[in-house]
């Protein structure tokens, strides 16, 4: 008779990006002042999704996703997804926005 093993409890919810706990993700959302929809988009970016995949996942047009991303980039003073990912992890490590910008600035 097979034994039933209970699932291990995860510290992640479905909307929490990999490598982050729920508490870390909540801190990122507060720090970056993300709307719930923006938070979902950033979480999917951290999972490696492209615009088209995000649009399908959230039942939105891919151009709507691009608009959300542009607004997030403008708010944070960044240019691309790589800088967004670095910014998120800098917040998790307790770095300030200024420090993040110094570490990711283009010369």
């Amino acid at each position: 008779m097979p034994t039933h093993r209970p699932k291990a409890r995860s510290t992640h919810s479905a909307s929490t990006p990999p490598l982050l706990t729920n508490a870390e993700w909540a801190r990122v959302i507060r720090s970056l002042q993300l709307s719930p929809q923006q938070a979902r988009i950033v979480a999917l970016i951290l999972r490696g999704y492209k615009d088209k995949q995000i649009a399908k996942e959230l039942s939105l047009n891919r151009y709507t996703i691009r608009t959300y991303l542009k607004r997030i980039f403008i708010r944070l003073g960044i240019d691309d997804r790589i800088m967004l990912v670095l910014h998120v992890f800098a917040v998790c490590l307790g770095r300030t926005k200024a420090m993040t910008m110094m570490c990711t600035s283009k010369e």
Side-chain angles (χ1 to χ4, degrees):
M1 184 159 141
T3 60
H4 182 296
R5 294 192 330 195
K7 288 184 177 180
R9 290 192 79 174
S10 173
T11 58
H12 304 283
S13 72
S15 61
T16 304
L19 305 177
L20 298 178
T21 65
N22 288 339
E24 289 169 332
W25 183 234
R27 185 172 53 226
V28 168
I29 293 170
R30 278 192 314 274
S31 176
L32 302 183
Q33 299 176 355
L34 298 175
S35 70
Q37 189 73 306
Q38 289 172 332
R40 285 188 282 276
I41 291 169
V42 171
L44 292 172
I45 287 172
L46 293 174
R47 290 181 181 273
Y49 284 44
K50 304 290 183 203
D51 291 352
K52 193 173 182 179
Q53 295 168 307
I54 296 170
K56 184 177 180 182
E57 182 77 20
L58 300 179
S59 300
L60 296 171
N61 186 295
R62 69 180 174 163
Y63 299 107
T64 303
I65 300 303
R66 288 182 184 171
T67 299
Y68 272 109
L69 286 174
K70 285 178 190 175
R71 289 180 181 164
I72 293 168
F73 294 165
I74 289 168
R75 176 186 291 161
L76 300 178
I78 58 178
D79 299 322
D80 56 36
R81 291 168 185 256
I82 294 171
M83 292 175 74
L84 177 60
V85 171
L86 291 173
H87 197 82
V88 166
F89 284 101
V91 168
C92 290
L93 294 171
R95 306 286 193 265
T96 64
K97 182 177 177 181
M99 181 64 166
T100 302
M101 296 310 295
M102 278 184 8
C103 294
T104 59
S105 66
K106 295 180 180 178
E107 294 188 26

